[in-house]
Amino acid sequence: MDKTRDEDNTGNTNFARVTVVVPTYKEVLNLPHLIDRLAKVREENRLDLDVLIMDDNSQDGSVELITARPERWVQIVVRTTDRGLSPAVLDGMRRAQGDILVCMDADLSHPPERIPAMLTALSLGADFVVGSRYAHGGTTDDDWGFFRWLNSRVATLLARPFTNIQDPMSGFFALRRTTYQQARDLNPIGYKIGLELLVKCGCQNVLEVPIHFENRTRGESKLSLKEQLRYVQHIRRLYLHSYATFSEVGQFLVVGLTGAVVNLGLLTAGLTLGLERRTAVAGAILISMTSNFLLNRRFTFSYAKDGPLIPQYLQYVLSVSFGALANYVVTMGLLNRSPDLAPQAAAGAGIAVGTVLNFIAMKYLVFRRRHIRLRT
Ligand code: GDD
Ligand code: MN
C-alpha cells in the first residue's frame, strides 16, 4: 500500500494520508496535465494521496473529463452555491479525508513535484508549509509584468504584521487537518485563503519550500481588480483579529492621516480661491474634524456606529473643540510669529497637537466604552 510517514502530536510515527484540494473554475484544459503530474509524484514517492477538485460549476467539460479518467483517487465536486476561490478551498478542506491537506492551483503554476518536500517540512515539525516563490531558491517566470510583481510585493508588505515569511500570498500550501480544525472564525473573503488559514489557525512554525512558479499557459486568470481591493478589506479584518488592542490607535492614526489630507487640501483650495487666511484655516479644521468623526465612528470605534449620530456628534464637537482650539491657536500663533512660514507647515503643527488631544477626548469621553451598549 502507498504510505507516507508523518509524526503525530505525540511524536509517534504513523502513516499519513494526503488530500490535495484544487479549486477550479474553467480549468478543463489544465486538468489532464495536472493529474498526470500528480500521478507521477504519487507513484514515485509512494504517497497515499487523493485529489479533490472543487469546481464552481464550470460547465466546460471538467466533470466529463474526470469521470472518464481511470484514476479513482481523483474526485470532482461541483459547487453551485457560495461560489469563489476561498469558499471552494474551505469547502474542500471540510470534505477532505486526508491527515494532511494540500491546496494548489489547477493552472500548473504550482509544481506538484514539490509536494513531497512540503510533506517532509510538515513531518519535521512545521505546522504550516508554503510553496514559496520568494524564499531562497524560489523563482517566477521572467515575463512576470512589472505591475503584477509590484502588486505582489505591496500585498506581501501589508501582510508583514502577521507573518515574516517571504511569500504569504501563495495559494500553494500544506497543513495537518488537526491544524485546520483549530481555525477560529474563518472568513473566506478574497483570494488569500492561505494567509487567512495561517493566521486563524494560530500557526507558529511556518516553513517555506522554494518553488518555481510557472506562468499559466492555458485558460485565463480570474484574479480581478475587485479581488485586489478586497484584499485590503481582508487585511483590515486580520488586523482586528490579531491586534484587537492596538488596532484602535492604528485606525485612529490612519483616520487622522485622511483628516490631515482633507485639512491641507481644503486650506490650499480656500487660499487659492482668495479666502481670508483665518477663514480658510478655520474652515479646513471644521470640515476635516467632521470627516474624522464619521470615519472614527465607522472604523476606529466601530462598536459605537449604531449609536445615535447627532448626540454623538454634538458630544464629539464639544470634546474635540478643545483640540480644535489648540490646533487653531498653534497654527495662527506660528503664522503670526513667523509670517514667512508656509501656512501648510503651521497647520501641520496645529494638526499634530490637535490629534493627540482628540484621541484622548474620543477614547475617554465620546466613545468611552461604558457609554456604549456592548455587543453580546
Ligand atoms: N472553485 C473556484 N471558484 N475556483 C476558482 C475561482 C472561483 O471562483 N477563481 C479562481 N479559481 C481557481 C482557478 O481555477 C485556479 O485553479 C486557482 O483558483 C487560481 O486562480 P487564478 O485565476 O490562476 O489565480 P492567480 O494565478 O491570479 O492567483 C494565484 O496566485 C496568487 C499569487 O500571485 C492564486 O494562487 C492566489 O491564491 C495567489 O495569491
Ligand atoms: Mn494562476
Side-chain angles (χ1 to χ4, degrees):
M1 231 204 281
D2 296 339
K3 294 289 179 193
T4 182
R5 278 161 186 279
D6 182 48
E7 298 216 330
D8 65 19
N9 294 334
T10 58
N12 293 330
T13 301
N14 63 351
F15 295 105
R17 183 172 161 187
V18 181
T19 298
V20 180
V21 174
V22 185
T24 58
Y25 187 68
K26 300 205 190 294
E27 300 286 5
V28 69
L29 294 177
N30 286 311
L31 285 175
H33 304 273
L34 178 72
I35 295 169
D36 286 348
R37 280 171 66 178
L38 278 165
K40 211 159 161 240
V41 170
R42 195 174 176 270
E43 204 133 299
E44 284 175 0
N45 298 276
R46 303 177 50 76
L47 296 177
D48 180 5
L49 178 148
D50 61 276
V51 176
L52 208 46
I53 293 165
M54 304 300 296
D55 186 80
D56 274 359
N57 201 15
S58 301
Q59 301 198 315
D60 63 346
S62 294
V63 174
E64 293 76 358
L65 176 102
I66 300 300
T67 26
R69 287 197 60 125
E71 294 88 357
R72 301 296 304 271
W73 46 273
V74 181
Q75 280 184 51
I76 184 163
V77 174
V78 178
R79 308 174 70 252
T80 52
T81 55
D82 190 21
R83 295 196 188 189
L85 171 57
S86 294
V89 170
L90 291 180
D91 192 4
M93 299 212 151
R94 263 191 305 272
R95 295 167 187 256
Q97 300 290 310
D99 309 301
I100 292 175
L101 310 174
V102 177
C103 177
M104 69 188 298
D105 292 351
D107 59 0
L108 301 169
S109 287
H110 300 150
E113 294 73 23
R114 297 302 280 154
I115 291 175
M118 292 166 82
L119 300 179
T120 304
L122 282 176
S123 69
L124 288 175
D127 45 23
F128 199 93
V129 181
V130 172
S132 172
R133 295 162 289 179
Y134 305 130
H136 185 71
T139 46
T140 55
D141 272 349
D142 286 332
D143 52 336
W144 250 44
F146 172 73
F147 180 71
R148 185 167 180 173
W149 175 86
L150 182 75
N151 187 38
S152 182
R153 283 301 169 143
V154 170
T156 301
L157 213 65
L158 286 174
R160 196 38 48 99
F162 309 108
T163 170
N164 51 19
I165 61 170
Q166 307 289 312
D167 194 4
M169 301 298 116
S170 178
F172 191 19
F173 54 87
L175 70 169
R176 283 184 201 82
R177 194 166 57 172
T178 51
T179 307
Y180 161 72
Q181 284 162 344
Q182 280 162 24
R184 292 288 164 265
D185 46 82
L186 281 172
N187 185 352
I189 176 183
Y191 246 46
K192 314 302 172 188
I193 191 61
L195 179 65
E196 173 79 10
L197 283 165
L198 191 160
V199 173
K200 301 282 177 77
C201 297
C203 295
Q204 296 298 320
N205 201 351
V206 184
L207 277 186
E208 287 179 281
V209 166
I211 63 162
H212 171 62
F213 183 100
E214 222 173 293
N215 278 348
R216 166 197 284 279
T217 52
R218 302 174 206 89
E220 281 166 26
S221 169
K222 285 101 201 169
L223 182 59
S224 61
L225 185 66
K226 196 173 123 209
E227 284 296 348
Q228 306 190 27
L229 291 177
R230 287 174 80 181
Y231 175 64
V232 178
Q233 206 184 343
H234 186 189
I235 285 288
R236 176 179 177 263
R237 296 216 188 154
L238 288 178
Y239 261 105
L240 292 178
H241 176 88
S242 300
Y243 300 106
T245 25
F246 300 115
S247 65
E248 228 169 51
V249 175
Q251 291 186 86
F252 180 80
L253 289 177
V254 172
V255 169
L257 220 61
T258 67
V261 171
V262 170
N263 185 311
L264 294 176
L266 287 174
L267 177 65
T268 308
L271 292 176
T272 312
L273 290 175
L275 287 184
E276 213 185 316
R277 208 166 59 179
R278 63 177 179 193
T279 315
V281 169
I285 289 175
L286 271 174
I287 297 178
S288 59
M289 211 172 92
T290 305
S291 67
N292 272 9
F293 166 75
L294 293 172
L295 290 173
N296 275 316
R297 182 173 179 272
R298 174 66 185 78
F299 296 105
T300 318
F301 306 103
S302 58
Y303 55 82
K305 71 172 185 284
D306 297 326
L309 181 76
I310 302 295
Q312 271 181 359
Y313 184 65
L314 293 179
Q315 223 185 335
Y316 167 85
V317 170
L318 210 70
S319 308
V320 301
S321 50
F322 184 63
L325 188 70
N327 184 343
Y328 182 78
V329 168
V330 169
T331 305
M332 291 311 290
L334 282 172
L335 283 179
N336 291 335
R337 210 174 243 240
S338 17
D340 294 340
L341 192 68
Q344 286 83 352
I351 289 167
V353 173
T355 302
V356 174
L357 293 175
N358 283 352
F359 183 77
I360 295 169
M362 254 181 270
K363 176 142 179 71
Y364 299 105
L365 296 167
V366 184
F367 299 118
R368 186 162 41 163
R369 280 243 182 214
R370 70 185 177 89
H371 279 177
I372 309 299
R373 197 164 26 90
L374 288 176
R375 275 194 211 142
T376 46

